[in-house]
Amino acid sequence: QVQLVESGGGVVRAGGSLRLSCAASGLTFDRYTLGWFRQAPGKEREFVAGISSISLITGFGDSVKGRFAISRDNANNTVFLQMDSLKPEDTAVYHCAARLGFGVGQMPRNYDYWGQGIQVTVSS
């Protein structure tokens, strides 16, 4: 079955950086668009970034534009989220997601598979 496993989370001070990874298995990776979402306590799940299956088109949520970058390694079935200039408001559980086809969707319902998530905490 499809599995998405996130890694790389943790605690960092404001202004610092973290790099999240998501390893996928059980799917034809290069046919899937990959996305990152986050959810803070009491808030809805929020789109962070996505990268398409074709043409490597990327998209970002307004709150992270210019600070976060997304990339993928199709040879190793992995997608990355590089997070720089982190702020306390970036604190959340970050989830990796996959959807068959191209086109970066920004709604959770656009995605077929989800990882369990990983905690990112940014201290002030």
Side-chain angles (χ1 to χ4, degrees), residues 11 15 35 40 45 49 54 63 68 80 84 86 90 97:
V11 181
R45 193 163 291 192
I54 301 174
S63 60
F68 289 13
F80 304 98
D84 297 324
L86 282 161
D90 293 319

Side-chain angles (χ1 to χ4, degrees), residues 33 37 47 97-100 103-114:
T33 288
F37 288 76
F47 173 75
R99 64 185 299 257
L100 183 63
V104 176
Q106 298 196 9
M107 301 298 293
R109 65 173 180 265
N110 296 144
Y111 290 80
D112 305 307
Y113 302 104
W114 291 84

Side-chain angles (χ1 to χ4, degrees), residues 2 10 16-17 29 31 43 53 62 67 86 95 98 112 119 121:
V2 176
S17 298
F29 188 75
R31 295 180 61 191
K43 294 189 176 181
S53 60
D62 289 341
R67 301 188 297 121
L86 282 161
H95 296 267
D112 305 307
Q119 179 69 45
T121 302

Side-chain angles (χ1 to χ4, degrees), residues 49-99:
I51 185 166
S52 69
S53 60
I54 301 174
S55 302
L56 301 182
I57 294 170
T58 59
F60 296 91
D62 289 341
S63 60
V64 307
K65 282 180 182 176
R67 301 188 297 121
F68 289 13
I70 187 169
S71 60
R72 63 190 292 164
D73 178 355
N74 287 346
N76 291 293
N77 290 7
T78 304
V79 61
F80 304 98
L81 182 69
Q82 177 66 42
M83 306 185 293
D84 297 324
S85 302
L86 282 161
K87 304 175 182 180
E89 51 263 44
D90 293 319
T91 296
V93 175
Y94 283 71
H95 296 267
C96 173
R99 64 185 299 257

